[in-house]
Amino acid sequence: MPIHNADIARIFKQVADLLEIEGANPFRIRAYRNAARTINDQTQSVASMLDESRDLTELPGIGDDLAAKIAEIVETGHLRMLKKMEKTTPENLTDLLQISGLGPKRVADLHEKLGIDNLQDLGEAARKKKIRSLKGFGKKLEQNILKEIERHTTNGARTRLSEAEQVATPLRAYLGQVEGVKRVVVAGSFRRRRETVGDLDILATCKKGSPVMDRFTAYEDVAEVLSKGKTRSSIRLRGGLQVDLRVVPEASYGAALYYFTGSRDHNIAVRRMAAKNDLKINEYGVFRDDAEDKERIAGASEEEVFATVELPFIEPELRENRGEIEAALEGSLPRLIIADDIRGDLHAHTEATDGRSSLTEMVEAARSLGYSYLGITEHSQAVTVAGGLDRRRLEEQIEEIDRLTDRYAGFRIFKGIEVDIREDGSLDLPDAVLKKLDFTVGAVHSRFDLPSDKQTERIIRAMDNRHFNILAHPSGRLINQREPYTVDMEKIMRAALERGCFLELNAQPDRLDLNDHHCRMAKEMGLKLAICTDAHHVGGLKNMRYGIYQARRGWLSSDDIINTRKVADLQKLLKR
Ligand code: DGT
Ligand code: CA
Ligand code: CA
């Protein structure tokens, strides 16, 4: 079974968490944490680097010892050291670290003194009021633990970006109307367009005496006010999402926006650069560290802040410390794709299967978005729950599209299908009908449980069929609901590249599949992607922007995406 980077990272993170609970040397703990991050952020699989006999110590933060451990994991699937640790410290104990207020020391106490091994034990002990009597704990912390456990179990720890938007947009509008408020902006992971957010970080500037904090904590959707101050307050909304509001002076607006946009790792790296030039960057501005009067030399805008360290503006989606600072320094930042670059959508359903709009409605909607083409891709027969098309019904739809085409001069309806990839890798419809289409997207809808090598083989076999063009939602994950099936994505991408196929970046906000790392992996390989909405009704076509965000997080430019091409050019790409 091939070992993915995420598997290795998970093992290292687990080691770090356990070491922390054991009270190990902080440098040692950090080494494992950093290694986990480094590996997670690698676009190439570490296992394949080993195959190519590459020296893993080239990777930042990986020394001989960690390189040997990685090799052990790749070879055996686990790490003996971790197994040994788990004998003395139960593995689920690390879940307790997610509870705010519980650090490693307290977790160790809970384990030693009350025999607590996991979150469930913790909840039970809290309900039985056993925790308050422990030294250094108390009643308040016990109650807080209960609340936190509740939150963890009722809603996943992170909120999907689209859901966060539904909360952030009205809240932002509400704050914008408060007397004296000048600017309101949502920073944090929300601004970086991460697929999920932990909480919302809102910044505001306002005139003296504005009642913004009172109005914030009085917002109708508030379930709980966590803290309230002059410059910073926190609330928990009814849906469970936490929101922090910070009020900053106008002169610090850019510095604060920069600081609270993060990511933390990006900020730290830039701050370190600044420190070398005796500059200090914080949420109030940029200051000359050597000057007596700590004069502020920048802060009103983000551009100003970047300029002090001689960097161009770096788009928020790139600020993850994944090489963007180095790229900015050498002038090689990508020119990121924007919504306007998209000329059409290549994955859409109609009421012929499980869609809810008619073919005409879908075409009209695509035209009104300014597109020049739309690919119609119904499910195929195997997907019975969606009323998938058999050969006869697909042929009927082909005729219907032919009839409709004449009505829309200058707009192209691409005849396609979302053909099911069977367990053996064959396609769910005969070549004789597939060849009548302009293109196909292929997708896995069953047997998500196949082992990685089988699943990978299955998909590559499907791509062997020369009618196969685009692999739809390549990992099958549903954010917060269903894990991706295990495949060797790199291998699939190479196979696609060799065969003239493409992968989809599915823009549905609960899919966003490929993820940002995979997008970047594709780019580095030279594999082009299609950003598609998989719309099941006219409104679904508008999800394109989520795909754009994800693509931007994956460093993609217009050129990396096939549905930015003009009809004629796209047609060539879809001819294998
Ligand atoms: P999230 O909420 O988990 O999705 O992720 P973020 O990135 O929104 O993180 P959050 O809400 O903890 O903090 C918002 C931003 O504030 C973060 O991206 C960077 C900044 N920040 C927070 N804590 C620190 C810190 O300790 N050091 C630095 N340099 N920046 C921080
Ligand atoms: Ca946040
Ligand atoms: Ca926050």
Side-chain angles (χ1 to χ4, degrees):
M1 197 187 73
I3 300 293
H4 300 285
N5 289 354
D7 302 317
I8 304 169
R10 206 176 306 120
I11 290 175
F12 282 168
K13 182 176 175 291
Q14 180 75 359
V15 170
D17 286 347
L18 286 172
L19 282 174
E20 196 151 28
I21 293 170
E22 289 177 10
N25 177 330
F27 290 100
R28 205 168 149 223
I29 299 168
R30 190 151 6 121
Y32 282 101
R33 273 201 209 298
N34 289 343
R37 188 170 312 128
T38 300
I39 290 165
N40 228 344
D41 286 353
Q42 282 310 308
T43 48
Q44 190 183 355
S45 102
V46 173
S48 74
M49 290 177 68
L50 282 172
D51 275 348
E52 297 165 19
S53 311
R54 299 251 309 267
D55 184 2
L56 295 183
T57 59
E58 306 165 6
L59 298 175
I62 307 290
D64 288 334
D65 176 55
L66 284 168
K69 290 200 163 79
I70 294 170
E72 188 196 333
I73 297 169
V74 169
E75 219 159 84
T76 67
H78 22 240
L79 184 64
R80 271 166 306 165
M81 172 198 180
L82 178 61
K83 292 266 173 236
K84 220 188 281 161
M85 292 175 83
E86 284 171 349
K87 282 204 185 102
T88 49
T89 323
E91 55 183 315
N92 291 333
L93 197 57
T94 54
D95 293 349
L96 269 59
L97 292 171
Q98 295 165 20
I99 302 294
S100 77
L102 293 187
K105 206 178 153 305
R106 282 191 171 135
V107 171
D109 273 352
L110 288 164
H111 177 59
E112 273 165 39
K113 306 211 168 98
L114 296 176
I116 289 171
D117 283 355
N118 51 45
L119 274 180
Q120 207 181 339
D121 290 357
L122 180 70
E124 231 156 81
R127 274 188 293 276
K128 290 184 180 154
K129 303 191 169 46
K130 282 184 179 166
I131 290 174
R132 58 181 67 184
S133 54
L134 282 185
K135 197 172 158 233
F137 280 76
K139 190 171 156 187
K140 206 162 163 214
L141 182 56
E142 188 182 71
Q143 285 166 344
N144 198 41
I145 286 172
L146 266 180
K147 255 193 256 167
E148 278 280 323
I149 289 178
E150 179 127 346
R151 195 169 66 86
H152 260 267
T153 41
T154 52
N155 79 139
R158 301 184 62 83
T159 305
R160 288 201 296 256
L161 180 63
S162 58
E163 292 170 73
E165 266 186 354
Q166 284 162 24
V167 172
T169 307
L171 176 53
R172 184 166 175 246
Y174 167 87
L175 291 172
Q177 279 171 4
V178 173
E179 210 181 292
V181 168
K182 291 192 236 167
R183 302 202 237 205
V184 186
V185 61
V186 188
S189 52
F190 183 90
R191 183 164 178 248
R192 304 197 310 279
R193 301 296 187 219
R194 263 190 80 173
E195 58 192 33
T196 60
V197 304
D199 69 359
L200 291 178
D201 306 278
I202 303 185
L203 293 186
T205 60
C206 53
K207 290 195 190 128
K208 254 205 177 83
S210 164
V212 63
M213 281 304 180
D214 291 331
R215 302 284 284 282
F216 175 62
T217 53
Y219 186 54
E220 57 175 7
D221 209 20
V222 172
E224 193 184 350
V225 176
L226 302 169
S227 67
K228 187 176 175 201
K230 272 205 178 78
T231 58
R232 181 188 167 164
S233 300
S234 279
I235 56 176
R236 169 124 43 236
L237 299 175
R238 278 196 200 117
L241 193 61
Q242 184 179 319
V243 188
D244 299 338
L245 172 66
R246 291 167 180 97
V247 174
V248 302
E250 198 69 39
S252 302
Y253 174 77
L257 179 59
Y258 178 66
Y259 184 91
F260 291 111
T261 294
S263 68
R264 193 170 162 269
D265 289 351
H266 166 96
N267 288 357
I268 290 171
V270 170
R271 266 209 312 264
R272 204 169 287 147
M273 263 177 63
K276 284 195 192 129
N277 297 327
D278 290 321
L279 292 175
K280 191 174 153 165
I281 302 183
N282 60 29
E283 61 267 54
Y284 304 105
V286 183
F287 302 86
R288 231 184 272 293
D289 224 10
D290 51 358
E292 296 262 301
D293 52 356
K294 296 273 178 236
E295 164 206 19
R296 168 159 48 209
I297 60 167
S301 73
E302 280 192 321
E303 284 81 356
E304 256 182 47
V305 173
F306 279 118
T308 60
V309 278
E310 288 168 33
L311 285 177
F313 183 82
I314 300 176
E315 300 283 356
E317 292 93 330
L318 297 180
R319 300 182 200 167
E320 297 289 348
N321 198 24
R322 294 179 188 160
E324 72 279 8
I325 298 163
E326 295 76 0
L329 283 171
E330 61 180 49
S332 65
L333 280 173
R335 184 189 186 127
L336 297 181
I337 183 167
I338 56 171
D340 269 354
D341 292 333
I342 297 290
R343 288 185 200 261
D345 204 328
L346 292 173
H347 186 167
H349 299 265
T350 77
E351 58 192 9
T353 57
D354 61 344
R356 296 189 297 284
S357 305
S358 69
L359 179 59
T360 319
E361 285 166 342
M362 292 299 280
V363 170
E364 297 277 359
R367 279 164 50 94
S368 68
L369 289 172
Y371 288 167
S372 2
Y373 46 85
L374 175 67
I376 299 294
T377 55
E378 307 285 10
H379 285 291
S380 63
Q381 55 195 14
V383 188
T384 45
V385 289
L389 302 185
D390 59 14
R391 178 176 180 165
R392 187 184 54 81
R393 290 177 62 215
L394 177 55
E395 280 169 343
E396 278 169 22
Q397 189 180 60
I398 291 173
E399 284 167 23
E400 191 189 350
I401 292 175
D402 282 337
R403 281 195 301 275
L404 202 61
T405 292
D406 300 333
R407 286 220 326 249
Y408 299 106
F411 187 86
R412 177 68 190 264
I413 310 171
F414 281 116
K415 292 172 280 197
I417 185 87
E418 178 179 358
V419 65
D420 182 63
I421 300 174
R422 296 193 189 122
E423 188 178 342
D424 65 0
S426 62
L427 300 182
D428 183 36
L429 286 168
D431 288 355
V433 63
L434 295 181
K435 74 170 190 218
K436 297 184 182 173
L437 297 168
D438 296 310
F439 80 114
T440 69
V441 305
V444 166
H445 297 101
S446 61
R447 292 306 309 269
F448 291 180
D449 59 332
L450 288 182
S452 177
D453 53 343
K454 288 261 155 44
Q455 197 75 278
T456 305
E457 224 171 273
R458 170 191 191 180
I459 292 169
I460 293 175
R461 255 219 73 197
M463 293 195 293
D464 283 339
N465 185 315
R466 62 193 178 87
H467 300 296
F468 190 109
N469 296 111
I470 301 171
L471 176 64
H473 34 75
S475 85
R477 64 125 175 220
L478 292 175
I479 297 173
N480 284 350
Q481 282 177 68
R482 186 171 75 205
E483 292 296 310
Y485 37 74
T486 53
V487 285
D488 187 335
M489 195 58 83
E490 194 182 337
K491 204 165 164 190
I492 289 176
M493 288 183 173
R494 294 223 178 273
L497 195 59
E498 283 162 18
R499 288 161 181 74
C501 298
F502 307 99
L503 263 61
E504 177 185 72
L505 192 188
N506 189 294
Q508 281 193 28
D510 59 345
R511 286 195 183 268
L512 294 176
D513 180 8
L514 302 170
N515 69 26
D516 49 358
H517 292 288
H518 287 147
C519 287
R520 185 135 174 231
M521 190 195 276
K523 181 184 179 119
E524 285 177 4
M525 222 181 261
L527 173 67
K528 311 257 182 251
L529 306 178
I531 309 179
C532 308
T533 63
D534 196 354
H536 282 68
H537 58 99
V538 291
L541 292 168
K542 292 202 181 132
N543 282 332
M544 187 59 80
R545 65 193 176 92
Y546 296 106
I548 301 280
Y549 299 149
Q550 187 82 319
R552 289 167 63 88
R553 289 185 54 83
W555 291 51
L556 301 184
S557 304
S558 172
D559 198 40
D560 301 312
I561 304 300
I562 63 170
N563 51 318
T564 58
R565 304 287 201 275
K566 295 190 174 128
V567 174
D569 297 332
L570 177 61
Q571 226 166 338
K572 275 185 215 140
L573 292 175
L574 296 174
K575 271 256 162 334
R576 278 177 59 179

